[in-house]
Amino acid sequence: MGLQFRLGYPVKFIYGAQYICIGNFFTSFPQLRLEAIKTETKTPHIIIGDNVSMGYNCQINCIDKIVIGNNVLFGSNIFITDHFHGASNIDETYISPNKRALYSKGPVVIDDNVWIGQNVSVMPNVVIGEGCIIEANSVVTHDIPAFSIAAGCPAKIIKRMK
């Protein structure tokens, strides 16, 4: 943890702290949930840069890698994950979802100077480029190029700023 680290009370859950690196001037409002889960095949890494602020009830779940750059602002009720319960094949539909192995489809990278609005979900194998704005209630399922504004479910680019 870096300098001037501030967690809003109560913290909901922090699991796998040894796999989490947080930079300077980090702030979160209450109900933060960070999970870095080691599996048989993966060692998780959550890397959060400097000057990151997370609103109420933010959740990050990782079995592979989630990188958040510097100067990133999160609204409330944000969900970021790099994995799913199972590999989404027909054989697994006969297994209870909570009994399926955790399966990563790839890391999540959120570059510098990004603003993520309230109630956004960021799914596995996604890069959100520098300077992006992700509008409230969006679900990010694919890469968003730098300096874009994206909205919707699934999120689509609605404006390019550069």
Side-chain angles (χ1 to χ4, degrees):
M1 289 185 219
L3 301 171
Q4 295 189 20
F5 180 85
R6 193 171 70 191
L7 292 175
Y9 180 80
V11 173
K12 191 175 257 182
F13 194 74
I14 296 180
Y15 180 83
Q18 67 269 34
Y19 306 114
I20 301 171
C21 178
I22 299 176
N24 297 318
F25 309 107
F26 174 83
T27 301
S28 79
F29 285 84
Q31 303 297 329
L32 176 66
R33 180 175 173 172
L34 300 176
E35 293 185 35
I37 304 163
K38 185 167 179 24
T39 67
E40 291 179 17
T41 60
K42 298 269 187 193
T43 299
H45 301 283
I46 297 175
I47 302 164
I48 300 173
D50 295 336
N51 303 308
V52 172
S53 179
M54 295 187 168
Y56 293 89
N57 199 38
C58 288
Q59 178 175 338
I60 299 174
N61 295 2
C62 175
I63 67 167
D64 186 5
K65 190 172 192 177
I66 295 176
V67 178
I68 297 169
N70 299 316
N71 309 309
V72 177
L73 175 63
F74 292 91
S76 296
N77 303 315
I78 305 300
F79 174 67
I80 302 169
T81 187
D82 68 355
H83 64 278
F84 296 118
H85 286 266
S88 302
N89 60 46
I90 191 67
D91 295 332
E92 289 185 336
T93 60
Y94 299 102
I95 301 170
S96 174
N98 65 333
K99 298 211 187 306
R100 296 175 194 164
L102 297 178
Y103 176 78
S104 179
K105 290 192 173 185
V108 172
V109 177
I110 299 172
D111 283 337
D112 295 345
N113 304 311
V114 170
W115 176 18
I116 297 182
Q118 186 158 319
N119 300 319
V120 169
S121 294
V122 180
M123 306 315 286
N125 198 31
V126 164
V127 175
I128 298 175
E130 180 180 0
C132 283
I133 299 170
I134 309 299
E135 294 203 4
N137 302 308
S138 297
V139 178
V140 182
T141 60
H142 60 275
D143 293 353
I144 305 295
F147 307 106
S148 297
I149 299 174
C153 181
K156 294 185 175 140
I157 298 165
I158 58 172
K159 182 177 180 179
R160 300 291 291 269
M161 295 179 281
K162 202 174 194 184

